């Protein structure tokens, strides 16, 4: 039986951040990370297309929490303890400056996730954190004041136990055996599969600012929309998928969305089209793109409005004008299934938030059992927010344990 003061299960972002901060704040503690893979930090490696989207440039806790479909209320207090600014400072102190991109996402200036990985590995070494790879945890038991763990290679005991395993069903099962409630995991960030003539053969087209609603629900979002080979993606869709994760799963990912491509009312759009009918009388509708829409998307919407390529503005009848206004402001698309968004598979689900003390991230059921990162039922929209939840939870765990 190998004895440690603190054992951290999971060698990902939250696990490493907790371990490093515990060991730095209290060097007397013997800290070990148990990781089932042959190396750790795999999600860090692929995040942000290999650049690692460390956090997001949102510096007001009340605004930051709005990016968490699950965990919004619970994270307000923790964000007052450790926030985006603290994350930036933490990395800068260790020689990893971050930069802000136009959309608010923050990356290492090196543009490489390897910088973050190297930083963590160096810090772990500096503070004598023991990294034990290929250790899949098979059982977790509480005996008197000690946690006992059996892995695929050995047996361990520790006074404090931190679970930072992300969305790992095997660990969730072990935690259920300890009495914790697990909210069923369902995908949270995904793109929509749509087969439709109006978006066929135009992958890569981006409508800069659209409004989307899921018909028959209260779900709504706005932002850029990307047309892909299989349907639609980009922030407008990903926000819907995150905030609608539970509702859309219930519908088995078959539903209808209504898109307003120009963020104007049907009536205002119709008035504009009537003016264009006067002003551009001799021109063809197909060739005179309007409303700052991408040309290829405009072509598709025009042809979907009972027109041909040669139809001139002057020849438009009332029905065609109304049809085009409807395509621009109330276009309905059938969604049939989902696809994973890049490699950044995020799930809603995990340890029930009611069973965690968010001042310390300690279990309310067991003393000296702590959680950090996606193992709890918190998830966020894309843009560095899931990592910020990991840093915040792990830092508070470290502060609590190192006392």
């Amino acid at each position: 039986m190998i004895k440690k003061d603190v054992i951290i299960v999971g060698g990902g972002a939250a696990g490493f951040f907790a371990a490093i901060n515990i060991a730095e704040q209290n060097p007397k503690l013997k800290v070990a990370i148990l990781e089932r893979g042959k190396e750790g930090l795999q999600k860090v490696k692929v995040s942000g297309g290999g650049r690692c989207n460390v956090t997001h440039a949102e510096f007001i806790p009340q605004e930051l929490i709005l990016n968490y479909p699950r965990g919004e209320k619970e994270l307000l207090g923790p964000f007052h303890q450790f926030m985006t600014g603290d994350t930036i400072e933490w990395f800068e102190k260790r020689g990893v400056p971050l930069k802000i991109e136009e959309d608010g996402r923050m990356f290492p200036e090196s543009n490489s996730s390897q910088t973050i990985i190297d930083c963590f590995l160096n810090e772990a070494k500096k503070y004598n954190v023991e990294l034990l790879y290929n250790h899949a945890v098979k059982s977790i038991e509480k005996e008197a004041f000690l946690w006992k763990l059996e892995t695929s290679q050995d047996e361990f005991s520790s006074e404090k136990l931190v679970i930072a395993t992300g969305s790992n069903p095997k660990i969730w099962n072990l935690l259920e055996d300890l009495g914790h409630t697990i909210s069923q995991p369902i995908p949270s960030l995904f793109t929509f599969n749509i087969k439709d003539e109006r978006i066929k053969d135009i992958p890569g087209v981006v409508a800069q600012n659209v409004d989307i609603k899921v018909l028959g629900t209260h779900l709504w979002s706005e932002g850029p929309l990307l047309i892909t080979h299989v349907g639609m993606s980009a922030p407008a869709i990903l926000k819907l998928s995150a905030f609608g994760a539970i509702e859309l799963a219930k519908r088995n990912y078959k539903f209808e969305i209504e898109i307003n491509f120009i963020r104007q009312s049907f009536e205002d759009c119709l008035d504009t089209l009537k003016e264009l009918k006067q002003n551009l009388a001799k021109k063809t509708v197909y060739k005179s793109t309007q409303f700052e829409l991408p040309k290829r998307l405009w072509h598709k919407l025009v042809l979907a409005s009972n027109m041909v390529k040669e139809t001139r503005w002057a020849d438009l009848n009332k029905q065609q004008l109304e049809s085009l206004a409807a395509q621009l402001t109330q276009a309905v698309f059938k969604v049939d299934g989902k696809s994973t968004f890049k490699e950044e598979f995020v799930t809603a689900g995990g340890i029930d938030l009611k069973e965690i003390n968010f001042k310390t991230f300690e279990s309310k059921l067991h003393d000296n059992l702590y959680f950090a990162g996606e193992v709890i039922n918190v998830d966020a929209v894309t843009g560095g927010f899931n990592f910020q939840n990991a840093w915040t939870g792990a830092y508070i765990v470290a502060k609590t344990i190192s006392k």
Side-chain angles (χ1 to χ4, degrees):
M1 178 83 63
I2 299 167
K3 187 165 182 340
K4 298 286 173 192
D5 297 312
V6 185
I7 284 178
I8 291 158
V9 182
F16 263 85
F17 206 70
I20 291 162
N21 283 293
I22 292 166
E24 183 185 13
Q25 290 170 33
N26 189 342
K28 288 186 202 140
L29 295 174
K30 282 191 207 151
V31 181
I33 293 175
L34 300 179
E35 164 57 40
R36 64 179 173 164
K38 60 178 188 290
E39 52 185 328
L41 300 166
Q42 288 307 292
K43 241 188 178 175
V44 170
K45 196 176 196 170
V46 299
S47 142
R51 296 194 299 143
C52 190
N53 185 184
V54 177
T55 185
H56 201 95
E58 175 53 76
F59 299 96
I60 301 160
Q62 286 80 353
E63 295 293 318
L64 184 60
I65 58 170
L66 301 177
N67 296 287
Y68 296 85
R70 280 147 294 274
E72 178 184 329
K73 178 169 99 264
E74 290 80 3
L75 288 175
L76 185 58
F79 283 152
H80 279 286
Q81 281 196 61
F82 191 88
M83 181 65 183
T84 317
D86 302 301
T87 301
I88 297 165
E89 191 186 348
W90 193 94
F91 281 103
E92 290 205 331
K93 264 188 184 162
R94 288 156 184 83
V96 183
L98 305 181
K99 57 172 181 171
I100 302 174
E101 305 217 327
E102 260 177 47
D103 57 6
R105 290 181 305 160
M106 297 194 70
F107 294 90
E109 278 182 6
S110 65
N111 263 334
S112 167
S113 57
Q114 196 58 45
T115 311
I116 303 294
I117 294 170
D118 292 344
C119 168
F120 283 166
L121 292 174
N122 291 337
E123 292 292 304
K125 194 173 172 183
K126 181 175 164 186
Y127 295 109
N128 300 314
V129 173
E130 196 173 350
L131 306 177
L132 298 165
Y133 297 115
N134 298 310
H135 276 268
V137 172
K138 300 196 151 169
S139 70
I140 302 174
E141 284 171 12
K142 183 90 183 268
E143 266 182 44
F145 296 106
L146 285 180
W147 288 102
K148 302 218 165 156
L149 286 81
E150 187 194 342
T151 75
S152 46
Q153 292 198 45
D154 234 315
E155 291 183 354
F156 296 84
S157 73
S158 71
E159 196 185 321
K160 315 269 187 193
L161 179 61
V162 181
I163 306 290
T165 44
S167 309
N168 181 337
K170 284 182 180 159
I171 298 294
W172 279 332
N173 290 341
L174 295 179
L175 292 170
E176 267 188 315
D177 294 342
L178 290 170
H180 271 289
T181 312
I182 305 296
S183 302
Q184 269 321 8
I186 48 171
S188 169
L189 279 184
F190 49 86
T191 59
F192 293 177
N193 294 352
I194 299 169
K195 280 194 174 75
D196 193 292
E197 264 310 309
R198 290 167 294 177
I199 58 170
K200 199 179 160 191
D201 307 324
I202 58 167
V205 166
V206 176
Q208 278 309 331
N209 206 359
V210 305
D211 280 348
I212 307 185
K213 54 187 181 193
V214 177
L215 296 177
T217 73
H218 297 301
L219 296 169
W220 170 89
S221 99
E222 61 182 330
L225 172 87
L226 169 70
I227 291 164
T228 68
H229 288 283
V230 291
M232 293 178 182
S233 182
I237 297 289
L238 295 170
K239 264 188 263 180
L240 269 189
S241 76
F243 283 91
I246 293 166
E247 180 62 45
L248 302 181
K250 276 184 202 157
R251 292 166 186 251
N252 201 18
Y253 308 105
K254 294 182 193 313
F255 51 92
E256 289 186 327
I257 54 173
E258 183 183 289
I259 302 178
N260 186 331
F261 286 106
I262 60 172
R263 302 193 76 188
Q264 286 187 18
S265 69
F266 172 83
E267 290 74 18
D268 288 349
C269 176
L270 190 57
D271 290 342
T272 305
L273 293 176
K274 285 174 181 168
E275 282 175 30
L276 291 167
K277 179 177 155 80
Q278 302 297 322
N279 300 340
L280 302 175
K282 289 183 177 162
K283 294 192 167 163
T284 64
V285 182
Y286 186 84
K287 280 192 177 160
S288 26
T289 309
Q290 299 297 323
F291 303 104
E292 294 178 7
L293 279 180
K295 197 186 290 178
R296 291 192 293 162
L297 179 60
W298 172 262
H299 289 169
K300 289 280 191 181
L301 297 179
V302 166
L303 296 178
S305 310
N306 310 314
M307 297 181 216
V308 291
K309 288 181 182 178
E310 296 71 35
T311 307
R312 295 183 317 157
W313 284 98
D315 302 331
L316 290 183
N317 60 32
K318 180 170 179 275
Q319 188 201 353
Q320 287 168 317
L321 282 166
E322 286 177 356
S323 180
L324 182 54
Q327 288 295 345
L328 290 164
T329 61
Q330 307 165 346
V332 174
F333 292 86
K334 269 197 172 70
V335 176
D336 186 6
K338 61 173 177 53
S339 299
T340 306
F341 172 62
K342 298 191 184 160
E343 325 79 347
E344 297 171 47
F345 189 66
V346 173
T347 51
I351 297 156
D352 193 312
L353 302 180
K354 291 192 218 48
E355 298 173 358
I356 298 164
N357 172 357
F358 279 91
K359 287 192 173 75
T360 56
F361 281 76
E362 188 174 12
S363 161
K364 286 182 180 175
L365 311 189
H366 299 280
D367 291 343
N368 297 324
L369 174 62
Y370 300 84
F371 306 111
E374 262 191 71
V375 69
I376 63 180
N377 188 19
V378 167
D379 62 286
V381 299
T382 181
F385 301 105
N386 281 302
F387 274 140
Q388 186 55 54
N389 164 50
W391 313 138
T392 295
Y395 188 84
I396 292 170
V397 165
K399 205 169 90 174
T400 309
I401 289 176
S402 57
K403 277 177 189 166

